Amino acid sequence: MQTFWKIVQFILGFVLGLLLTAGIAAGIAVYLLNKLADTPSKPLFAETMSPTIVEEKEEKIPQPEGYRAVVTW
């Protein structure tokens, strides 16, 4: 009879150990996946930081004869 309880104790301990390990692993996986699922913050650009200081760029008028260019493949 004593051998039976040792076997039951071993099986119960083994199953509880597996459940505890699986629970901890699942908790860590959920934590890490939730951190990866967050959307990143909106990037800040110099143009959006100070909209009052905007330099007006003069657009160059293209020449009617065009530009000389060499096309290479």
Side-chain angles (χ1 to χ4, degrees):
M1 192 66 150
Q2 192 176 13
T3 315
F4 173 73
W5 290 115
K6 285 185 179 181
I7 293 172
V8 170
Q9 183 181 5
F10 173 76
I11 293 172
L12 187 62
F14 186 76
V15 169
L16 287 176
L18 284 177
L19 289 175
L20 184 65
T21 303
I24 291 173
I28 291 172
V30 166
Y31 174 74
L32 291 176
L33 290 176
N34 279 338
K35 285 184 78 172
L36 290 175
D38 289 342
T39 56
S41 60
K42 186 176 180 181
L44 299 175
F45 298 103
E47 294 84 14
T48 59
M49 294 291 287
S50 57
T52 57
I53 304 173
V54 178
E55 296 179 11
E56 295 182 16
K57 297 180 181 178
E58 297 177 2
E59 295 186 21
K60 296 181 181 178
I61 301 172
Q63 300 172 355
E65 66 270 3
Y67 297 100
R68 298 183 79 174
V70 177
V71 177
T72 58
W73 287 90

